[in-house]
Structure formats: structure tokens, C-alpha cells
Amino acid sequence: QMKHVRKSFLSLVLVIPFLFSNCSKDDTPTVVNSKVYDLGTVGTSGVSGRAIFMENSDATVSIVLDLLNTPQGGSHPAHIHLNNAADGGDIALTLKPVDGTTGRSITTFKTLDNGTAITYQALLDFDGYINVHLSAENLATLVAQGDIGQNDLTDVSKVYSLGSVAVAGIDGTATFYKRVNGEALAI
């Protein structure tokens, strides 16, 4: 019977490391693909930065907001909205607030706020934009914003000269930028 106990103990000693090796840090998802979107300053906030969309190996998506000039100690709610920033739209996904001290937030998800499944590839074609707000108490004040997905701008643009009509000396230009979805943004 002593041989049986030794054999069982030896088997257990050999199996335990194998079990724990499967629970290692190697199970942490890795980034498979990524895309960067610019977030521009809104008003006089001086806050700008980028949103990094990451496809993870476990089929989740992570969005890192990385902002400059956020107030020390502040907390800035952020959302992905439906439609483009010029037209506005409802909230599709609530992101973790940006920490004013670090200027960062990381949100990992598989679904939108309404429970609809979303993938990295679907986000690259999403009709949306990101808003970053001054604070939870002041959601009406935006500090940074940027179009994403199909609303992202391409490098294709057309500039039109605007001449004086009724008042001499008032002229300028109008620039139209092509979006990924073929629509235009006028500036």
C-alpha cells in the first residue's frame, strides 16, 4: 500500500504544475490589430489627443483614450455616439472616464450599451463619433471630440475660394474633406 501512496503522490506532484501552468499570464489577451483616431479640441479647452481602438485575441475590443492638457484631478466622461460629430446622435457606448491627472482611460468590451454585440471590424465601419466631456456635472461642455469608423476623414479634400459679394474685403475659402463613407465635411 505504501507503493500505491508514493505512486499517487508522484502523479499528483507531476499534475499540479501542469494545472497551474495553464493559469499563467499567457492567458492575457494580446492586441491583434489597432487603429488610431484623432480627438480634436472643442472650444477653448486646449484638450486634444487620440483614441486607440484595439482588437484583442479574446474577441474583446479595447479603446484607449490618450489626451493632453486635461486638468489635474479631473474626471472626464466619454462616450461613442451614433452618427457624425457635425450632426450629433445618441450615446451608443459609455467609455470609462478619462483621468485628468494621467489623461487616459481604457475601456474593454464586447457589446454596446444596449447589449448589441460589437466587434473590432464592426467598429471600423461604425457610424459614430467620440465626445469627451468636462465633467459628470457639466456634460453639456465638451473638451474633445472626433469622428470614428466610416466618419473618419480621408486625405482627399477640395478647396473653393469664396469671393466678396455684398461687402468688399470679405472673402475666404471653404474646404471639403471626404469621409471614409463618401460623405463630405465642410470647414
Side-chain angles (χ1 to χ4, degrees):
Q1 194 171 25
M2 187 64 159
K3 282 185 178 184
H4 180 65
V5 170
R6 278 189 199 160
K7 191 174 182 180
S8 295
F9 178 74
L10 183 58
S11 296
L12 189 59
V13 168
L14 293 174
V15 170
I16 288 176
F18 176 76
L19 289 174
F20 285 110
S21 71
N22 288 337
C23 298
S24 71
K25 291 183 180 180
D26 294 340
D27 292 337
T28 303
T30 58
V31 175
V32 178
N33 288 304
S34 65
K35 168 86 173 142
V36 177
Y37 294 102
D38 292 327
L39 298 175
T41 299
V42 176
T44 60
S45 72
V47 176
S48 64
R50 60 192 184 153
I52 306 161
F53 286 35
M54 297 181 296
E55 177 182 22
N56 299 316
S57 60
D58 65 354
T60 61
V61 179
S62 294
I63 296 178
V64 175
L65 299 180
D66 190 14
L67 302 178
L68 300 171
N69 302 319
T70 52
Q72 194 81 355
S75 179
H76 308 283
H79 308 95
I80 292 180
H81 291 259
L82 299 170
N83 215 342
N84 60 60
D87 295 332
D90 292 335
I91 294 172
L93 179 66
T94 302
L95 302 172
K96 292 194 176 169
V98 175
D99 179 332
T101 302
T102 64
R104 291 179 61 98
S105 91
I106 301 172
T107 307
T108 300
F109 56 94
K110 284 185 174 182
T111 62
L112 300 175
D113 285 358
N114 67 6
T116 302
I118 189 82
T119 64
Y120 173 79
Q121 289 301 320
L123 273 176
L124 295 185
D125 192 41
F126 195 75
D127 184 7
Y129 66 99
I130 294 176
N131 273 347
V132 181
H133 304 269
L134 179 61
S135 66
E137 300 76 31
N138 196 347
L139 290 174
T141 302
L142 298 177
V143 295
Q145 183 179 68
D147 285 313
I148 62 165
Q150 63 177 269
N151 297 316
D152 194 22
L153 299 179
T154 67
D155 292 332
V156 177
S157 66
K158 176 81 173 158
V159 178
Y160 294 94
S161 295
L162 305 173
S164 295
V165 178
V167 179
I170 298 179
D171 57 8
T173 61
T175 305
F176 291 84
Y177 293 91
K178 184 178 179 184
R179 294 182 188 275
V180 170
N181 64 11
E183 295 177 359
L185 171 66
I187 297 180

